[in-house]
Amino acid sequence: MTARPADLAARHAHHLDAALKACATREQWSPFKESPSSKIHGEERPAEGKARFEALLGRPFELDQPGTIGAVGHEVSPYTLEPLAIAYPKSDPDALFSAARAAMTGWNCLTSEERAGVCFEMAFALEEQAFANAHATMHTAGQAYLMAFSGSGANALDRGVEALAYAYKAMADVPRAAEWEKNFGRTGVVRLKKTYRLRPRGVAVVVCCATFPMWNAYPAVFANLMTGNAAILKPHPNGILPVAMAVKRMREVLTGAGLDPNMVLLAADEREAPITIDLLKHPACAIIDYTGSQRFGAWIEEHCADRLVYTETAGCNAVVLDSFDDMDAAIGGLANGLCGFSAQMCTSPQNVHLPETGVRADGKTLSFDEAARRIVDAITRRTENPARAAGLCAAVQAEQSLELISEVREKVLAAGGQVLLDSRPYAHPDFPNARTATPLVVSVDASQIDLYGEEVFAPVCFVIREASREAALENSARIASERGAISSYLYSADRGFIETAQDRFAEAGASLWINMDNRMPINFAAAYSDYHVTGLNPAGNACLADLAFVADRFRIVQFREPVPAAAAE
Amino acid sequence: MTARPADLAARHAHHLDAALKACATREQWSPFKESPSSKIHGEERPAEGKARFEALLGRPFELDQPGTIGAVGHEVSPYTLEPLAIAYPKSDPDALFSAARAAMTGWNCLTSEERAGVCFEMAFALEEQAFANAHATMHTAGQAYLMAFSGSGANALDRGVEALAYAYKAMADVPRAAEWEKNFGRTGVVRLKKTYRLRPRGVAVVVCCATFPMWNAYPAVFANLMTGNAAILKPHPNGILPVAMAVKRMREVLTGAGLDPNMVLLAADEREAPITIDLLKHPACAIIDYTGSQRFGAWIEEHCADRLVYTETAGCNAVVLDSFDDMDAAIGGLANGLCGFSAQMCTSPQNVHLPETGVRADGKTLSFDEAARRIVDAITRRTENPARAAGLCAAVQAEQSLELISEVREKVLAAGGQVLLDSRPYAHPDFPNARTATPLVVSVDASQIDLYGEEVFAPVCFVIREASREAALENSARIASERGAISSYLYSADRGFIETAQDRFAEAGASLWINMDNRMPINFAAAYSDYHVTGLNPAGNACLADLAFVADRFRIVQFREPVPAAAAE
């Protein structure tokens, strides 16, 4: 046993305090190292992490958990197009749920502080394998090394800790005991002793997505563990490894603390024999945390209504262009967003609403064509050099995304639209077989909403010809409201127009990032600071993190009895 | 205009503080007068309130709200069996939703403190009509005068204020603005200004029940108003008057504060032409607050899953008898609970699980028959005097409840059970035509769960012969878990058994009231102190009040933009 829960509570008390403070001030904070630089970690850690990853390939993944009835695993690296050839345990859902439920009894004897201590210990244990996780994420999700290290490492763990802090806060709102007295007139004063016991909902199924396996999974797992619920993680069939590594590490921490490791379990499957619906419909499934397509998310919301359902699906993210103070910085930021991880993020921009009257920049008006050309040029500059393209665009997770690019090109041309910049594979400097694609940029008319009115999960940018900035705003807000949006973007140097846009997007139930330039990734979502997913449009309901994300995951059972007369005196 | 929202915020700031404190300490507190005594209110108020009620009878109810397309109203008093003959506006649902949505725009410009101020002003305005409301509640729900005054007055308003306080707390958790800065290495430090705007979900439909029209409605209305959502109140066809009076008063306060009164609207209907489903399925209905039968509650949970649904339905509430320190006080408390408002409360006990081995009391063992006889005797003492029966049992709201009594009697006898005490009408001293019934007490075997395993909405008590106290505990906890329970009761002088029972009921997801005696109503649920409905069993999910009851009724829309370089210095 490495440390008891009480020791872990003490060890991480200052982390919990700092996380709670960050949630309140919404200032930048993190206890994790975001950079993979050898200057921070030493020369050996990066290589050692890569070696750890490579040692996992081509063999069974060792995960000692109940209910194993075979093996699954058909992951293919988007970088090498080779199978990872790792065999994961195939599990019997009944056995998983049964083990999870059994584990909850002991876990629910822990205080909130102890649970937080164990979860923080897990988070740091997960950080310890951030290098190996980076390679595992690259070769399943297709992320670039830097993003895989920070975005799927420290940044994802931060979102987990944020959820942990919110769960702690919601639970701390419930006193554990109280005395109550009331004068009932004729019968006198009655004193009651009341105690309040927090109870979990049951077992949660956490469905992870293919391109960011753990970014939503950490918040779900920590929110569930904090509130007493066990978690069964169901990875995407091509994104098992990062999830399996995380599950294994979390189980080790549980065991090390003398706890039942079955609070966290893996349920891997394969495309040909999916088990997600079996898990979600299992009678013992009480909570569903889902990240993935809007279509399946909607199916879950409709068919699993008797469970507690949290979803983050997809948005049809808009960019409204009006005017610029510094057009180069703005277009640079936008081009980074359009290229970043080949637009395989729920926050990636897709639809650029551009007034046909042009945009104001540097004291003059640029025509529609000129503004579009600036975007195309900025993307071209970022993708013509393979090393720069590799760092920015990374690899394309799924072959289907390449097919989507072809489909869009064909449909747009057939509908009279234009290809402003064609997509092409770029030659990745390190992985000659990598599945790559530079962004396709097309121009369409605002009336052609059937072309651009849904998320295309591929590096595709629609430049949409709008009658005016007002039309651009109205169209983008309506799409956000009706089709869903997670991050929307506005570029305007006009304070009045910015305020109008804020009101319209508030009404549409979508958050708006304004004048985000090239000094940071425009779609970066910061834990403890940026509320992720409003829940007011079809892009999901799981805000990372607010009280609504955690407050219903536990319930309150109460006892009361009269205080004995002697004690009452 | 009586007072602006900002004035009301200032006027009631100390009430808000006190309510927040009460929720945290869970001590007794109320800003309302619970007793109708003339010593408190003066000689004139009771008579004036009665006159106000009587002036409403036999004529159209004046309620100036949009969408009126006719009149409805067929209420019959359980005390006189005469029609109230009040005609309420019949409304077009489209017009109601449209007016409600329009009202939300202005309302959402108010701060949380201003909303709280308006809601407190409403609460005190409602208290001002507590005498008239008492008579209206008597002659629709059938409550006794005292309960109608306090339970449907101050106590109900307290639950409303409690929900108001929780909503305030959840909203206060979201900062309205923040500055965030982060070092992005090569590009330097980026500073962002972030603002967070709270947004409502949409229009709520609040479905009120027949026997306690406003006890759940006030919390729903105040929770919705605080979080920015308008409320359309749908009363039971025989319980319109108290709801209409409350709606009218709340609209007056809104108008007086210079606000759109359509934040609160009435949707009355009649048994022959119900509109509940039309309201719940209306595209503009975003939130449902439902109080009523378990069957319709389950229908809503299944068929309105795309709305936010809060339910309080019904429990099959158990009493486990083991042993007593003071048997007379305990049995007296229990008999009060069995008789109180003819068991037409969601907290009324129904099933008395009694070991056939008997119970320990005052140092000796009482047999099953003797213990049952004590309960019967206590009920008899409370019901043989009409004045005492009237104060305790009040009237029976629905004719169907009398039919249920007959059905149970017949089924129990046919199954070989015994009638230990038959039900009979008692002669109400003030209302000779009152629909009344003393409790029916029957004895059945634990195996006959089909007789007692569901809530009977009538004054019926099953004395259930259990093999042992352990069997009694197990059976009652299982029923709570599977059939639902809102309040369960245990009488035991054995600390070890009490602790075992607490663990078992915690596992079953049901709260347990222990050794509640005759000094107070054993099923009294105190605002700010007793969590009502656990949400872990089929009796509903709407806990009055916790963060889960309010945190999801609003959402967060965020804006962010770089802090200009000049301001950043």
Side-chain angles (χ1 to χ4, degrees):
Chain A
M1 195 183 295
T2 55
R4 292 170 198 284
D7 302 331
L8 298 176
R11 181 183 298 173
H12 297 295
H14 69 288
H15 288 129
L16 178 58
D17 289 345
L20 288 165
K21 180 166 168 287
C23 292
T25 65
R26 310 199 81 74
E27 291 170 353
Q28 162 62 20
W29 174 75
S30 176
F32 307 113
K33 295 178 194 73
E34 194 185 33
S35 161
S37 166
S38 301
K39 288 179 195 154
I40 296 169
H41 299 276
E43 288 299 332
E44 285 172 17
R45 295 293 310 285
E48 188 263 351
K50 191 174 181 209
R52 264 203 237 179
F53 159 71
E54 284 167 350
L56 295 170
L57 301 174
R59 58 170 61 205
F61 187 90
E62 284 172 29
L63 185 70
D64 181 22
Q65 68 173 29
T68 301
I69 51 171
V72 284
H74 300 284
E75 293 159 301
V76 171
S77 165
Y79 280 103
T80 64
L81 301 190
E82 297 288 329
L84 303 192
I86 306 173
Y88 303 93
K90 176 178 178 175
S91 305
D92 168 35
D94 286 342
L96 291 181
F97 279 103
S98 169
R101 284 176 66 99
M104 284 169 58
T105 305
W107 178 261
N108 274 278
C109 296
L110 302 186
T111 65
S112 301
E113 289 75 16
E114 288 170 337
R115 296 178 200 181
V118 176
C119 289
F120 267 112
E121 188 71 9
M122 284 178 180
F124 288 104
L126 290 160
E127 188 193 22
E128 192 278 332
Q129 64 183 12
F131 285 101
N133 175 66
H135 291 281
T137 304
M138 283 180 72
H139 288 285
T140 50
Q143 291 179 14
Y145 177 65
L146 273 177
M147 178 180 282
F149 186 88
S150 58
S152 294
N155 299 163
L157 288 168
D158 277 326
R159 287 248 93 129
V161 168
E162 174 191 51
L164 178 170
Y166 271 91
Y168 179 85
K169 185 155 46 167
M171 295 163 77
D173 186 68
V174 184
R176 297 307 190 272
E179 257 194 27
W180 177 91
E181 66 172 52
K182 182 170 155 73
N183 192 330
F184 280 89
R186 200 168 43 81
T187 56
V189 171
V190 177
R191 287 179 71 176
L192 298 181
K193 182 189 166 196
K194 303 185 176 186
T195 52
Y196 311 98
R197 201 180 289 189
L198 303 190
R199 294 289 302 167
R201 285 273 186 185
V203 181
V205 173
V206 178
V207 182
C208 311
C209 74
T211 49
F212 260 102
M214 296 308 296
W215 200 83
N216 298 71
Y218 288 141
V221 170
F222 287 148
N224 284 314
L225 291 182
M226 281 301 294
T227 51
N229 306 289
I232 298 174
L233 283 80
K234 161 60 187 75
H236 185 275
N238 204 65
I240 305 174
L241 185 56
V243 181
M245 288 170 64
V247 167
K248 182 173 182 167
R249 186 49 66 99
M250 291 191 275
R251 291 173 60 83
E252 286 166 0
V253 171
L254 287 163
T255 302
L259 298 162
D260 187 330
N262 296 326
M263 287 300 292
V264 182
L265 291 156
L266 179 74
D269 67 355
E270 52 200 346
R271 228 178 288 272
E272 290 67 29
I275 61 163
T276 309
I277 290 176
D278 293 343
L279 294 171
L280 302 184
K281 285 293 209 179
H282 194 282
C285 169
I287 302 175
I288 297 169
D289 284 282
Y290 171 78
T291 314
S293 74
Q294 215 176 70
R295 194 165 52 179
F296 194 43
W299 184 92
I300 292 171
E301 286 171 17
E302 187 181 340
H303 291 92
C304 304
D306 52 344
R307 323 292 158 102
L308 204 57
V309 176
Y310 301 92
T311 57
E312 192 222 324
T313 60
C316 190
N317 298 326
V319 183
V320 175
L321 297 188
D322 167 37
S323 51
F324 303 91
D325 275 332
D326 182 343
M327 185 166 188
D328 286 344
I331 294 290
L334 177 55
N336 288 340
L338 292 165
C339 294
F341 188 23
S342 292
Q344 298 169 100
M345 287 184 280
C346 57
T347 54
S348 298
Q350 173 183 302
N351 292 340
V352 178
H353 297 263
L354 182 56
E356 64 184 358
T357 50
V359 294
R360 292 286 298 172
D362 307 321
K364 53 181 195 277
T365 299
L366 270 77
S367 70
F368 177 92
D369 289 342
E370 178 65 13
R373 196 184 58 74
R374 296 277 187 109
I375 296 169
V376 164
D377 288 351
I379 293 173
T380 303
R381 274 196 302 280
R382 281 160 176 76
T383 51
E384 59 195 357
N385 174 307
R388 190 169 179 193
L392 192 57
C393 303
V396 172
Q397 195 273 330
E399 190 65 26
Q400 291 96 306
S401 292
L402 301 186
E403 292 160 17
L404 281 173
I405 294 173
S406 299
E407 272 177 37
V408 168
R409 185 193 294 115
E410 201 172 308
K411 277 197 210 167
V412 165
L413 290 174
Q418 278 185 287
V419 171
L420 303 182
L421 179 66
D422 208 348
S423 172
R424 60 173 177 80
Y426 73 87
H428 196 288
D430 302 325
F431 299 101
N433 291 332
R435 186 188 295 124
T436 64
T438 62
L440 171 71
V441 184
V442 295
S443 78
V444 298
D445 191 76
S447 64
Q448 298 173 303
I449 192 167
D450 51 319
L451 293 173
Y452 65 83
E454 285 191 15
E455 190 207 35
V456 178
F457 199 74
V460 171
C461 167
F462 295 89
V463 179
I464 300 161
R465 182 182 297 267
E466 301 277 5
S468 63
R469 65 180 189 175
E470 289 75 17
L473 171 58
E474 181 53 32
N475 193 23
S476 59
R478 197 168 38 79
I479 290 172
S481 166
E482 293 174 6
R483 313 292 179 96
I486 290 181
S487 303
S488 306
Y489 304 86
L490 167 68
Y491 290 90
S492 178
D494 177 347
R495 185 51 48 188
F497 189 66
I498 289 173
E499 284 168 13
T500 302
Q502 288 177 325
D503 288 344
R504 184 64 188 91
F505 268 80
E507 196 192 325
S511 290
L512 189 65
W513 300 164
I514 299 148
N515 295 334
M516 297 294 295
D517 60 30
N518 59 356
R519 293 174 301 152
M520 64 174 277
I522 65 168
N523 59 336
F524 183 82
Y528 319 106
S529 188
D530 291 321
Y531 290 105
H532 190 68
V533 176
T534 66
L536 291 169
N537 67 57
N541 68 13
C543 180
L544 302 184
D546 63 3
L547 287 172
F549 185 66
V550 294
D552 214 14
R553 293 180 193 258
F554 68 92
R555 306 298 298 174
I556 307 156
V557 166
Q558 182 188 335
F559 308 111
R560 74 181 193 201
E561 58 183 308
V563 178
E569 291 314 304
Chain B
M1 195 183 297
T2 54
R4 290 169 199 285
D7 301 331
L8 298 176
R11 182 183 297 173
H12 296 296
H14 67 291
H15 288 130
L16 178 58
D17 288 346
L20 288 165
K21 180 165 168 286
C23 292
T25 65
R26 309 199 80 73
E27 290 170 354
Q28 162 62 20
W29 174 75
S30 176
F32 307 113
K33 296 177 194 73
E34 193 185 33
S35 161
S37 166
S38 301
K39 287 180 195 152
I40 296 168
H41 300 276
E43 289 298 331
E44 286 172 18
R45 295 294 308 286
E48 189 262 349
K50 191 174 179 206
R52 261 202 237 179
F53 159 71
E54 284 167 352
L56 296 170
L57 301 174
R59 59 169 60 204
F61 187 91
E62 285 172 27
L63 185 70
D64 181 23
Q65 68 173 29
T68 301
I69 51 171
V72 285
H74 300 285
E75 294 159 300
V76 171
S77 165
Y79 280 103
T80 65
L81 301 190
E82 297 288 330
L84 303 191
I86 306 174
Y88 303 92
K90 176 178 178 174
S91 305
D92 168 35
D94 286 343
L96 292 181
F97 279 104
S98 169
R101 284 175 67 100
M104 284 169 58
T105 305
W107 178 261
N108 274 277
C109 296
L110 302 186
T111 66
S112 301
E113 289 75 15
E114 288 170 336
R115 296 179 200 181
V118 177
C119 289
F120 267 111
E121 188 72 8
M122 285 179 180
F124 287 104
L126 290 160
E127 189 194 22
E128 191 278 330
Q129 64 183 14
F131 285 101
N133 175 66
H135 291 281
T137 304
M138 284 180 71
H139 288 284
T140 50
Q143 292 180 13
Y145 177 65
L146 272 178
M147 179 180 281
F149 186 89
S150 58
S152 294
N155 299 163
L157 288 168
D158 277 327
R159 288 248 91 131
V161 168
E162 175 191 50
L164 179 170
Y166 271 91
Y168 179 85
K169 185 154 47 166
M171 294 163 78
D173 186 68
V174 183
R176 297 307 190 271
E179 257 193 29
W180 177 91
E181 66 172 53
K182 182 171 155 72
N183 192 329
F184 281 88
R186 202 168 42 83
T187 56
V189 172
V190 176
R191 286 179 73 178
L192 298 181
K193 181 189 168 198
K194 303 185 176 187
T195 53
Y196 311 98
R197 201 179 289 189
L198 303 191
R199 294 288 302 166
R201 283 273 185 184
V203 181
V205 173
V206 177
V207 182
C208 312
C209 74
T211 49
F212 261 102
M214 296 307 296
W215 200 83
N216 298 73
Y218 289 140
V221 170
F222 287 148
N224 283 315
L225 291 182
M226 282 299 295
T227 51
N229 306 289
I232 298 175
L233 282 79
K234 160 62 189 74
H236 185 274
N238 203 65
I240 305 174
L241 185 56
V243 181
M245 289 170 64
V247 167
K248 182 173 183 166
R249 186 50 66 99
M250 291 191 276
R251 290 174 60 83
E252 286 165 2
V253 171
L254 287 163
T255 302
L259 298 163
D260 187 331
N262 296 327
M263 285 301 291
V264 183
L265 291 156
L266 179 74
D269 67 355
E270 53 199 344
R271 227 179 289 273
E272 289 67 30
I275 60 164
T276 310
I277 291 175
D278 292 344
L279 294 171
L280 302 185
K281 285 295 209 180
H282 195 281
C285 168
I287 301 176
I288 297 169
D289 284 282
Y290 170 79
T291 315
S293 73
Q294 215 177 70
R295 196 166 51 180
F296 194 43
W299 185 92
I300 292 171
E301 287 171 16
E302 187 181 340
H303 291 93
C304 304
D306 52 344
R307 323 292 157 103
L308 204 56
V309 176
Y310 301 91
T311 58
E312 192 220 326
T313 62
C316 189
N317 296 327
V319 183
V320 175
L321 298 187
D322 167 38
S323 52
F324 303 91
D325 276 332
D326 181 343
M327 184 165 188
D328 286 345
I331 295 289
L334 178 56
N336 289 340
L338 292 165
C339 294
F341 189 23
S342 292
Q344 298 169 103
M345 287 184 280
C346 57
T347 53
S348 298
Q350 172 182 303
N351 293 340
V352 178
H353 298 263
L354 182 55
E356 64 183 0
T357 51
V359 295
R360 293 287 297 172
D362 307 321
K364 55 180 193 277
T365 299
L366 270 76
S367 70
F368 176 93
D369 289 341
E370 178 63 14
R373 197 185 58 74
R374 297 277 187 107
I375 296 169
V376 165
D377 288 351
I379 293 173
T380 302
R381 276 197 302 279
R382 282 161 175 77
T383 51
E384 57 194 359
N385 175 308
R388 191 171 180 191
L392 193 56
C393 302
V396 173
Q397 195 273 328
E399 190 66 26
Q400 292 96 307
S401 291
L402 302 186
E403 292 161 16
L404 281 174
I405 294 172
S406 300
E407 273 176 37
V408 168
R409 186 194 293 114
E410 201 172 307
K411 277 197 210 166
V412 165
L413 290 174
Q418 278 185 288
V419 171
L420 302 182
L421 179 65
D422 208 348
S423 172
R424 60 175 177 80
Y426 73 87
H428 195 288
D430 303 325
F431 300 100
N433 292 333
R435 186 188 296 123
T436 64
T438 62
L440 171 71
V441 184
V442 296
S443 79
V444 297
D445 191 75
S447 63
Q448 298 173 303
I449 191 167
D450 51 319
L451 293 173
Y452 63 85
E454 284 190 16
E455 189 205 33
V456 179
F457 199 74
V460 171
C461 167
F462 296 89
V463 179
I464 300 159
R465 183 182 297 266
E466 300 276 5
S468 63
R469 66 180 188 174
E470 288 76 17
L473 172 58
E474 181 53 33
N475 194 22
S476 59
R478 197 168 38 77
I479 290 172
S481 165
E482 293 173 5
R483 312 294 178 96
I486 290 182
S487 304
S488 306
Y489 305 86
L490 167 68
Y491 291 91
S492 178
D494 178 346
R495 186 49 49 188
F497 189 66
I498 290 173
E499 284 168 11
T500 301
Q502 288 177 324
D503 288 343
R504 185 64 188 90
F505 268 80
E507 197 191 325
S511 290
L512 189 65
W513 300 164
I514 299 148
N515 296 333
M516 296 294 295
D517 61 30
N518 59 356
R519 293 173 300 153
M520 64 174 276
I522 65 168
N523 58 336
F524 182 84
Y528 319 106
S529 189
D530 291 320
Y531 290 104
H532 189 70
V533 176
T534 66
L536 291 170
N537 67 59
N541 67 13
C543 181
L544 302 183
D546 63 2
L547 288 172
F549 184 66
V550 294
D552 214 14
R553 292 179 193 260
F554 68 92
R555 307 297 298 175
I556 307 156
V557 167
Q558 183 188 334
F559 308 111
R560 73 180 193 201
E561 58 184 308
V563 178
E569 291 314 304

